[in-house]
Amino acid sequence: SQTIHQWPATLVQPVGSPLSLECTVEGTSNPNLYWYRQAAGRGLQLLFYSVGIGQISSEVPQNLSASRPQDRQFILSSKKLLLSDSGFYLCAWTQGWNTEAFFGQGTRLTVV
Amino acid sequence: AQKVTQAQTEISVVEKEDVTLDCVYETRDTTYYLFWYKQPPSGELVFLIRRNSFDEQNEISGRYSWNFQKSTSSFNFTITASQVVDSAVYFCALSEVGTGANSKLTFGKGITLSVRP
C-alpha cells in the first residue's frame, strides 16, 4: 500500500534562517506531488506541484522553492525565512490527474 | 476560474444530532470532480469521497451521505447521528478535468465541526 512521510512534524525557526522540509512517498511510482500551505483559519493554498523529476510548477510567487531530486521525494526550501512563512505545510500525492490526493501529516512551521 | 465556497465557518452540535455541511462551487467546465476531506486535530487530511460531474446520484457510506445537485452547484455533506470523533475541519474541493494547473484541487476554507457529548 502507498504511504507518504513528511518531516519534521513541528519546526520553530528564526527569521532569516533557511528551511528544508522533506516528503517521500512509498508504494507508487511517478506520482504527482504537491506542497500546500494552510494558514491559520484559512483553507489550503497550493504552493508547488510536480509531475516528474526536476519538474516544478509554482502557483504563487513567494519566498519558497521546491525541488524533486528523485521520483518519490519532494523538498520545500527557503534560503531566508520570513515571519509570513509561518503556517502548516502539507505534502500530498496523486496518481495522475483528477484523482483523490493523499496527504502527509504536515509540518507546523513557526517563524520567530 | 474555479471556486469553492463553504459559507459555514463553525458548527457546534450535540452528539447524536444530524448535521449538514454545505459546499457551493463555481466552474466553467462541464466535466469536473468534487471531493470532501476531513482534517482531525492531528492535522492530516483524510480523503472521504470523490464524485464526478456526471454522477448526480447521492451516496451513502455509513453515517455519511452526500447530496450532489448540479442545478444549484452544491455538494453537501450530511453526518447522521454525529459522534464526538466527527469533530474536525471538513474541506470541500474541486478539480477541473485536464492536466496541469487547471486540474489541481481548489479547496474551500473549511468548516470546523464540534460535536459535544
Side-chain angles (χ1 to χ4, degrees):
Chain A
S1 63
Q2 302 91 355
T3 56
I4 179 168
H5 302 280
Q6 186 182 340
W7 66 92
T10 59
L11 195 57
V12 180
Q13 291 284 96
V15 168
S17 64
L19 173 74
S20 181
L21 303 181
E22 189 164 341
C23 170
T24 60
V25 180
E26 296 178 356
T28 186
S29 59
N30 197 31
N32 287 355
L33 297 173
Y34 308 82
W35 279 110
Y36 286 87
R37 177 169 60 199
Q38 184 179 20
R42 292 188 170 184
L44 280 79
Q45 180 187 35
L46 179 64
L47 302 176
F48 301 95
Y49 68 92
S50 171
V51 299
I53 297 174
Q55 301 179 59
I56 308 295
S57 296
S58 174
E59 284 294 288
V60 293
Q62 59 210 317
N63 186 41
L64 302 168
S65 62
S67 61
R68 186 170 176 174
Q70 299 180 42
D71 181 45
R72 289 170 287 180
Q73 184 185 27
F74 205 25
I75 298 172
L76 183 69
S77 304
S78 173
K79 292 183 179 179
K80 289 186 178 181
L81 284 169
L82 305 172
L83 286 174
S84 57
D85 292 324
S86 294
F88 190 55
Y89 290 82
L90 286 153
C91 180
W93 71 275
T94 62
Q95 196 63 64
W97 298 105
N98 305 127
T99 62
E100 55 269 28
F102 296 95
F103 287 80
Q105 293 192 317
T107 296
R108 196 163 301 280
L109 171 66
T110 304
V111 182
V112 296
Chain B
Q2 53 195 16
K3 183 180 177 182
V4 175
T5 301
Q6 296 181 263
Q8 305 152 309
T9 54
E10 295 185 17
I11 300 176
S12 182
V13 299
V14 176
E15 207 170 16
K16 297 184 183 178
E17 283 185 22
D18 298 346
V19 58
T20 295
L21 310 181
D22 298 334
C23 173
V24 174
Y25 61 91
E26 295 177 29
T27 177
R28 293 182 180 177
D29 276 12
T30 57
T31 306
Y32 50 89
Y33 293 84
L34 295 164
F35 304 79
W36 274 96
Y37 284 84
K38 174 182 179 181
Q39 185 179 37
S42 61
E44 178 183 355
L45 267 77
V46 178
F47 165 75
L48 296 178
I49 189 171
R50 168 180 175 257
R51 177 55 53 91
N52 76 58
S53 54
F54 294 109
D55 183 2
E56 287 193 72
Q57 192 171 10
N58 291 335
E59 180 152 342
I60 298 175
S61 176
R63 297 184 296 107
Y64 295 170
S65 62
W66 290 269
N67 183 355
F68 176 29
Q69 292 195 354
K70 288 180 76 171
S71 60
T72 56
S73 297
S74 65
F75 187 43
N76 296 338
F77 173 29
T78 297
I79 302 174
T80 303
S82 60
Q83 300 176 2
V84 172
V85 292
D86 295 326
S87 297
V89 181
Y90 290 87
F91 291 96
C92 181
L94 163 74
S95 72
E96 296 171 343
V97 170
T99 61
N102 285 341
S103 61
K104 72 182 190 305
L105 284 171
T106 296
F107 286 86
K109 291 191 175 181
I111 302 170
T112 300
L113 174 65
S114 299
V115 181
R116 310 186 305 275

